[in-house]
Every structure is written in C-alpha cells, then in structure tokens.
Amino acid sequence: MKTVREVSKLTGVSIRTLHHYDAIGLLKPTAVTPAGYRLYDESALCRLKAILLFRELLFPLKEIGEILDSPNFDPIAVLEQQIGLLELRRDHLTRLIAHARRIQQTGEMTMDFTPFDHTKIDQYTEQAKARWGKTEAWQEFLQKTQNQTPEQKTDHAKGLMAIFGRFGALRQLPPAAPEVQSLVAELQQYITGHYYTCTPQILRGLGQLYIAGGEMTQNIDNAGGEGTAELVNSAIIHYTKNL
C-alpha cells in the first residue's frame, strides 16, 4: 500500500489532484488510516494509470468515471481502444509537424488545412464513449440486442442499409423535400425499434457521424451512392430544426 504522497511521487500526479479524484469518486483510496491518511493498493494504481491515459486523450473526468465504472467495462478492450486513439493522435501530430516544417523550409503559407482535421480522432472517441459510457441509449441497446442471434443482428443492419439505399435514390432532391423528410422519420423509427430510443439530439449526433468519414460514411455511400451520407445529414438537420 502506498500513501498519497508516495503515489504522487511515483506518478507525477499532484497530491491536490489525487484528493480531487477522491472527492469526485473517480479514484477512491483503498483504505484510510485512523489518522486520515489515504492508502492505495496495486488495483488503485492500475485504475489511476487508466485515468491518466484517458486524460492524455483529453477525455473529461466525468466520462472517464462512466467508462471505468461501466458494468460492461473490459480493461483489455478499453486498453486496445486507448492504443488506437493514441496512434491516431501520434499520426495527427506527425502530419502537423511535417506541415509546419514545410512552411518553415519554403516560407509559404498554403491554404491546405487537412493536417488540422480531427475527424477520425473525434469519430473514434465518440465510438469509445458510446460503447463504455453508462448512457441510457447504450444500456437500452444492450437490452435490445443481448438475446439477438447473429442472423437477426445482420438482418437489422441490412434493413438500416436499405433505408440509406432509398436515400440514395432521392439524392437529386433537396434535403427539405417531403419524400426525404419522410425517410428521415422512418430512419428515426427504425433506430428506435431495433437499437435504442432515437431522440432528436441523438439523431443529430448520428448525422454528424454519418459524414465523419471512415467506414461508416463509406458504407452509407456504398448503399446509396456517393453523397448519400451528406444528404442524410443535411436532411436530419432540417428535420430536427424545429423539434
């Protein structure tokens, strides 16, 4: 067991910060002596390491607590996601450094802003939060899917892609067109029926994920043709504007 001062010296985390983590329930000491000294065992130090990794990834303390306290928490799977995020941030910094060096060497300020794009990082972060956070939507998703067979899950995914395929057939129409708006309502109902209650706020968030790039955007555009994801997002924005 280590005292709070020893933990601070070992980890570089200030005593004040450790006290704060205790106060908010993020990292409780394993024991407290009669004199009031906090003591931490190996398990607590492992939790602290997980906290520090998430802090490096800029996760808010509240969300870190929700992830670590989730009933579905899997340390190995979480560590894998942390590694994936760290690798994305490493690649992002590598591109930024290369971009800055080109400016330094050439003296030219180009209009290329791609090195500043956080889309992939943001998308991966949201997926991690959705998977491990104790959100009502995620808990509802678990309840609805835990007894489903692989075939049922595949059928539901195909049904969702079929809706995107129908969006693709309407790409020539504006997002506010009645046919497109009707399909947004159908999409919302489908998600609610098969996954979780799709509130307007969640629907808007999904729209942003649809255009975030990566596999999700590619799958939607494969289902409906290039530009389908953009149409769906724009249509969702219009649909939820007055909700």
Side-chain angles (χ1 to χ4, degrees):
M1 300 275 274
K2 295 185 182 297
T3 66
V4 68
R5 188 173 297 278
E6 289 172 332
V7 171
S8 178
K9 185 176 180 180
L10 175 67
T11 64
V13 178
S14 71
I15 294 175
R16 181 177 179 180
T17 296
L18 291 170
H19 287 177
H20 178 62
Y21 288 174
D22 181 10
I24 65 175
L26 181 60
L27 180 67
K28 304 295 289 185
T30 309
V32 180
T33 70
Y37 292 105
R38 296 170 173 86
L39 299 175
Y40 299 82
D41 64 5
E42 185 174 345
S43 177
L45 292 178
C46 287
R47 182 179 173 95
L48 177 57
K49 186 173 290 185
I51 292 169
L52 295 179
L53 276 172
F54 275 122
R55 290 299 289 152
E56 288 292 330
L57 294 167
L58 307 181
F59 275 59
L61 293 179
K62 180 181 178 182
E63 292 177 356
I64 295 174
E66 290 177 348
I67 291 172
L68 298 182
D69 294 333
S70 169
N72 311 294
F73 178 68
D74 180 343
I76 302 301
V78 166
L79 181 59
E80 182 179 350
Q81 286 190 320
Q82 288 176 326
I83 291 171
L85 270 169
L86 288 168
E87 289 175 340
L88 285 174
R89 290 194 177 278
R90 176 200 62 196
D91 295 343
H92 178 71
L93 287 174
T94 298
R95 289 192 298 271
L96 279 176
I97 292 170
H99 182 69
R101 282 178 174 164
R102 281 195 298 272
I103 295 173
Q104 183 184 50
Q105 292 168 0
T106 65
E108 296 179 0
M109 295 291 290
T110 68
M111 290 297 104
D112 179 16
F113 287 88
T114 55
F116 301 93
D117 187 0
H118 278 257
T119 298
K120 289 185 178 180
I121 295 175
D122 293 342
Q123 182 182 12
Y124 201 98
T125 300
E126 288 305 315
Q127 289 172 351
K129 292 176 182 178
R131 180 175 182 183
W132 302 111
K134 295 191 294 186
T135 63
E136 292 181 6
W138 180 249
Q139 295 304 317
E140 184 179 356
F141 171 77
L142 290 176
Q143 292 173 1
K144 285 187 176 181
T145 60
Q146 62 183 351
N147 295 321
Q148 291 178 2
T149 65
E151 291 76 16
Q152 288 175 316
K153 292 179 181 179
T154 298
D155 287 343
H156 293 162
K158 287 181 178 179
L160 186 61
M161 287 299 112
I163 294 176
F164 292 133
R166 290 162 59 198
F167 269 108
L170 302 176
R171 281 176 295 160
Q172 77 281 6
L173 297 177
E179 300 93 327
V180 179
Q181 289 297 294
S182 176
L183 203 50
V184 174
E186 185 176 335
L187 173 65
Q188 184 181 27
Q189 292 168 4
Y190 188 90
I191 294 171
T192 295
H194 295 88
Y195 297 105
Y196 43 75
T197 302
C198 188
T199 64
Q201 181 180 5
I202 289 176
L203 187 61
R204 284 193 295 270
L206 288 173
Q208 290 299 305
L209 284 177
Y210 294 161
I211 62 169
E215 186 177 356
M216 185 175 294
T217 302
Q218 184 178 353
N219 287 340
I220 294 173
D221 283 352
N222 285 343
E226 186 175 356
T228 300
E230 288 285 350
L231 171 63
V232 176
N233 179 58
S234 297
I236 287 174
I237 291 173
H238 183 84
Y239 180 82
T240 60
K241 185 167 54 178
N242 298 316
L243 294 181

